[in-house]
Amino acid sequence: MKHPFFRTLKYGILLGCGVYTLFWILLVLIYDNPIDSTPKAMDVLLFIGISVGTTVYYKLRVAGGQLSFSEGLVMLTLTYSSLVIMQGLLLYVTLELSPGLLDTVKQMRLATLEAEKEEWISRLEKPSDFAKLKKQVQLLTTGIILWQETGFRLLVGFVVSLVGATGLRS
């Protein structure tokens, strides 16, 4: 673990998790519903920026401009995956520490659905599907919210790792 690759990986992950934790704490302090108030592009860019930044730092400062595809793929994947895991843990802890937050999320999503009712009905095949959509929102659980928040990011992380490792290799 004393190899410069692992040290860079470890410090990049720690820095990324620390930055994301501060970002999440600010969201929790500012918003009543930090889950739906989170700018989705912001945290995806944060994940990508930290993963790519760690890899670029390793390539330019530690490895002397040399980076193989496998090194880049491993560094990008592990850094990005660590951030997704950190996000999931922070979300879980937030939902467990403030049990009213899940109810707030449900109420806000139902209010949004009602406000955009005509638009949703025009998108759905049958008007009765709108009632089903509302029922799904009412049945939200912590697990479903965790999947909704982390599932897309895992797919983005896979693409970022492949593209980044290809683009950054020497």
Side-chain angles (χ1 to χ4, degrees):
M1 285 296 204
K2 292 187 180 211
H3 191 277
F5 177 83
F6 293 112
R7 273 188 301 186
T8 305
L9 179 64
K10 177 176 64 175
Y11 292 134
I13 289 171
L14 290 174
L15 175 70
C17 290
V19 168
Y20 189 78
T21 301
L22 289 175
F23 175 70
W24 184 254
I25 289 170
L26 286 174
L27 287 173
V28 169
L29 292 175
I30 294 171
Y31 296 109
D32 291 335
N33 179 5
I35 296 167
D36 291 334
S37 301
T38 306
K40 300 301 178 207
M42 178 60 186
D43 56 352
V44 169
L45 288 176
L46 184 68
F47 288 7
I48 292 171
I50 290 171
S51 301
V52 171
T54 301
T55 307
V56 168
Y57 177 82
Y58 175 75
K59 177 182 179 178
L60 298 178
R61 300 286 293 202
V62 177
Q66 300 295 316
L67 182 72
S68 68
F69 176 79
S70 59
E71 286 176 327
L73 186 64
V74 167
M75 187 164 290
L76 284 164
T77 303
L78 290 177
T79 306
Y80 195 94
S81 299
S82 298
L83 289 170
V84 171
I85 291 168
M86 175 58 77
Q87 179 203 23
L89 288 172
L90 287 170
L91 186 57
Y92 179 77
V93 167
T94 303
L95 286 168
E96 290 300 314
L97 289 178
S98 56
L101 180 60
L102 188 58
D103 293 331
T104 303
V105 169
K106 289 178 188 180
Q107 291 170 357
M108 292 180 114
R109 288 185 182 180
L110 286 171
T112 303
L113 278 176
E114 284 298 327
E116 301 170 349
K117 184 175 184 175
E118 296 302 320
E119 185 179 334
W120 276 104
I121 289 176
S122 67
R123 287 185 198 174
L124 298 170
E125 292 179 21
K126 297 180 272 182
S128 62
D129 290 342
F130 185 74
K132 292 178 186 176
L133 185 61
K134 285 176 55 175
K135 184 70 173 168
Q136 287 176 345
V137 171
Q138 292 169 345
L139 296 175
L140 277 176
T141 62
T142 301
I144 291 171
I145 290 176
L146 285 172
W147 175 249
Q148 288 173 346
E149 294 297 315
T150 59
F152 174 71
R153 284 172 190 79
L154 291 172
L155 180 64
V156 170
F158 174 70
V159 172
V160 166
S161 297
L162 287 177
V163 171
T166 302
L168 294 173
R169 66 190 162 111
S170 301

